[in-house]
Amino acid sequence: MLLGVLPAVGAAASAGGAGAAVATVILVLALVAVVVAVSSASRAMRTLLTPVSWELGATPFTVAVRARLHDPGMLTGSVSVGTRGVEWAARRHRAVGHGGVPFDTIRDARPTMLPDTAGPTPWLSLSDGSTAYLTPGPAVLLDTGSGTVTLPVDDPQLFVALLHARVAAWRSGTVR
């Protein structure tokens, strides 16, 4: 667009007459093509990453899943597997909290079930001083060099399989 269409349209428009009309049509068609391309790429990415499957671990895409949090109002959370590690985040309005570990510090990942008797458990501290709480239910326990991290995901078996595939791809050098 910047290197081809805009300079050609500018040159044709400055010529005047029929060239200006043709330049306007070409510019409109080029802008429509850009909008269609961006929309198609966005839709393809959503289609590719939904539903999440463990095979996505062998790709270089960052795969994010929703974190299951106790929501007293407008709290969102996510857990994502990138190309170099696992990251998690929570957000309430402007307050954010996040954490992460690189693949080389992960010792083990295993699915678990957080008991109902525990109630909401503190998960992340947000920047406004509040705390994001995770709810009882399925989760992943991530053993790292600095301790154990609980990741509240709805399908822990799938998440562990995806993580194992990504770590294997990272170790082999196919995903960097």
Side-chain angles (χ1 to χ4, degrees):
M1 218 21 218
L2 292 175
L3 297 176
V5 174
L6 291 180
V9 167
S14 65
V22 170
T24 303
V25 169
I26 290 174
L27 180 63
V28 169
L29 289 175
L31 290 174
V32 167
V34 166
V35 169
V36 168
V38 168
S39 173
S40 297
S42 173
R43 189 174 211 181
M45 193 70 153
R46 267 194 320 269
T47 301
L48 180 64
L49 295 178
T50 306
V52 175
S53 68
W54 70 269
E55 289 91 352
L56 288 172
T59 68
F61 300 118
T62 297
V63 181
V65 296
R66 187 180 65 82
R68 194 186 60 264
L69 301 175
H70 177 69
D71 185 10
M74 301 302 290
L75 180 67
T76 60
S78 66
V79 178
S80 60
V81 179
T83 57
R84 298 174 188 231
V86 178
E87 297 179 353
W88 51 92
R91 177 182 199 96
R92 179 183 300 121
H93 304 294
R94 288 186 168 180
V96 294
H98 53 85
V101 293
F103 289 144
D104 59 353
T105 64
I106 297 175
R107 294 180 182 158
D108 188 26
R110 61 188 184 282
T112 189
M113 183 65 75
L114 302 174
D116 289 334
T117 57
T121 307
W123 186 51
L124 268 179
S125 295
L126 303 181
S127 59
D128 67 353
S130 64
T131 302
Y133 292 88
L134 54 89
T135 59
V140 171
L141 292 179
L142 203 58
D143 291 329
T144 69
S146 59
T148 301
V149 177
T150 304
L151 303 175
V153 296
D154 288 329
D155 192 345
Q157 288 84 7
L158 174 67
F159 188 85
V160 168
L162 181 133
L163 180 60
H164 286 304
R166 181 62 57 93
V167 170
W170 175 78
R171 286 189 178 131
S172 71
T174 58
V175 173
R176 290 281 172 189

